[in-house]
Amino acid sequence: MTDQWDAGRLDSDLEGVGFDTLAVRAGQNRTPEAEHSEALFLTSSYVFRTAADAAARFAGETPGNVYSRYTNPTVRAFEERLAAMEGAEQAVATSTGMAAILAVVMSLCSAGDHVLVSQSVFGSTISLFEKYFKRFGVQVDYVPLVDLSGWEKAIKANTKLLIVESPSNPLAELVDISALAEIAHARGAMLVVDNCFSTPALQQPLKLGADIVFHSATKFIDGQGRCMGGVVAGRAEQMKEVVGFLRTAGPTLSPFNAWIFTKGLETLKLRMRAHCESAQQLAQWLEQQDGVEKVHYAGLPSHPQHELAKRQMSSFGAVLSFEVKGGKEGAWRFIDATRVISITTNLGDSKTTIAHPATTSHGRLTPQEREAAGIRDSLVRVAVGLEDVADLQADLARGLAAL
């Protein structure tokens, strides 16, 4: 251990640095051990020098750790790094991505408040609103993601939040984030954006006018399918409320998972670049295949919001979906014929995955809800990993041959 602690000599000066440097160094505060890599604090509690010190910590009169359900140095490092990359005042980590949206609504809404949600959000998000939030008096309506006039007409006097996923899962629909933020703010509401598919490496919604972003860190932030977690980021005023909910309810992130995610952020931009390049190639190839009726990928000029994607994203993401001939039976034959790609609903992994949304991720929705979200029985989703793109193309060709 060093005899003297001089943070100025051990920590990096990050004033004015770029995104790539923030991804590698933001949030790290080295201990007196002078470790180069981020420390992993596997502890549930913390000791105090005196009883008076403990009392002041618990009262919030002096800064410092109290209990790892409240704060943990490893979790805090991840939060600070993600906040720096998103351009947020503060980020708050959660146990899962679903816990992130739970924390946002529970901390910012009350019974009688109205929330507008995109029709094309993740299936579990719809279930959370329909089965639980509505039960406690939160009013919910759904709006087609791309319909700005529809959003404006649906806002009520008690509308608190507008919640969108852009690009959406699995159809890669987009909303003009800047325009929707203006609509929300003009009526006193906040815009919340699920930025999981893009990550801050491709899109920064807060800089486009959104108030809050959230992620399933389980996906691209981890990048290798190892850990579960989520994160919410935005202004400190709102994040204070989110922290209060987590401190009481407890869906906090484990230090080990936070450490994994912090290391994942270091390579995020490099990985997303590779994911996107392969996804673009596969989307273009699939669009030319006879067995494919339609490809949903914002990087294709045929996508109705291709120009919008070019304006608000630096690249088009790693997730694409396509409709094959033969309905559900054709989609299942296609999936079952692959031999390299993993049949699983997770995404954001270094390994490419393939899934049938209508019977997996969106299977709990009613047929009417799936229809409204555009989830057809013929739809197949591929989350492109980091394998050789020629091998992925060859595997998808096996699927086409089975149609």
Side-chain angles (χ1 to χ4, degrees), residues 276-286 297 320 389-390 393:
C276 293
E277 289 175 357
S278 293
Q280 182 75 37
Q281 292 183 51
L282 290 176
Q284 292 171 342
W285 176 78
L286 283 165
Y297 186 68
L320 57 91
V389 70
Q393 182 176 313

Side-chain angles (χ1 to χ4, degrees), residues 262-283:
T262 302
K263 304 310 289 182
L265 289 175
E266 294 181 0
T267 60
L268 179 63
K269 190 172 182 180
L270 294 173
R271 288 185 286 106
M272 293 307 296
R273 183 183 303 152
H275 283 301
C276 293
E277 289 175 357
S278 293
Q280 182 75 37
Q281 292 183 51
L282 290 176

Side-chain angles (χ1 to χ4, degrees), residues 33-53:
E33 299 290 353
E35 69 281 350
H36 191 223
S37 182
E38 293 78 8
L40 175 54
F41 289 88
L42 294 176
T43 183
S44 58
S45 63
Y46 306 86
V47 297
F48 308 98
R49 289 179 173 83
T50 64
D53 178 34

Side-chain angles (χ1 to χ4, degrees), residues 56-312:
R57 293 268 193 94
F58 271 82
E61 296 170 356
T62 59
N65 297 305
V66 175
Y67 191 60
S68 278
R69 191 174 82 245
Y70 309 169
T71 59
N72 176 279
T74 306
V75 176
R76 185 166 59 248
F78 167 62
E79 292 171 334
E80 291 181 359
R81 183 168 297 181
L82 191 283
M85 294 170 70
E86 282 284 13
E89 291 180 2
Q90 185 178 352
V92 183
T94 62
S95 57
T96 66
M98 290 307 302
I101 185 62
L102 172 71
V104 169
V105 178
M106 291 295 290
S107 60
L108 299 179
C109 293
S110 302
D113 284 339
H114 179 239
V115 178
L116 286 176
V117 182
S118 164
Q119 288 178 346
S120 53
V121 295
F122 180 47
S124 292
T125 302
I126 294 176
S127 296
L128 183 62
F129 276 96
E130 289 297 306
K131 295 182 179 180
Y132 301 103
F133 288 142
K134 279 188 174 181
R135 186 189 303 174
F136 292 98
V138 175
Q139 301 171 20
V140 185
D141 286 307
Y142 300 92
V143 182
L145 177 63
V146 304
D147 184 8
L148 290 176
S149 63
W151 286 99
E152 191 163 20
K153 292 175 183 176
I155 295 178
K156 302 177 182 179
N158 61 335
T159 301
K160 193 71 172 289
L161 302 175
L162 279 62
I163 299 176
V164 301
E165 185 180 285
S166 182
S168 68
N169 176 23
L171 298 180
E173 292 182 315
L174 291 87
V175 69
D176 186 327
I177 294 173
S178 296
L180 188 57
E182 291 182 6
I183 291 171
H185 297 159
R187 302 287 291 276
M190 291 182 285
L191 176 59
V192 181
V193 177
D194 181 343
N195 201 31
C196 174
F197 273 32
S198 294
T199 80
L202 305 185
Q203 176 178 266
Q204 295 170 308
L206 298 179
K207 294 183 178 179
L208 296 172
D211 299 281
I212 295 170
V213 298
F214 68 92
H215 294 267
S216 171
T218 310
K219 310 302 190 296
F220 294 105
I221 288 176
D222 176 3
Q224 295 185 46
R226 299 164 293 190
C227 296
M228 300 189 75
V231 63
V232 183
R235 293 191 297 273
E237 178 185 358
Q238 280 77 44
M239 294 307 101
K240 179 181 178 180
E241 299 300 321
V242 176
V243 169
F245 172 74
L246 262 67
R247 177 170 179 159
T248 302
T252 48
L253 183 64
S254 79
F256 179 79
N257 290 12
W259 186 82
I260 292 290
F261 296 150
T262 302
K263 304 310 289 182
L265 289 175
E266 294 181 0
T267 60
L268 179 63
K269 190 172 182 180
L270 294 173
R271 288 185 286 106
M272 293 307 296
R273 183 183 303 152
H275 283 301
C276 293
E277 289 175 357
S278 293
Q280 182 75 37
Q281 292 183 51
L282 290 176
Q284 292 171 342
W285 176 78
L286 283 165
E287 200 171 38
Q288 304 303 314
Q289 305 310 304
D290 291 337
V292 177
E293 296 181 330
K294 187 175 184 179
V295 180
H296 303 274
Y297 186 68
L300 296 173
S302 59
H303 190 284
Q305 296 165 299
H306 178 63
E307 293 303 317
L308 173 61
K310 289 198 295 185
R311 290 200 305 272
Q312 68 183 23

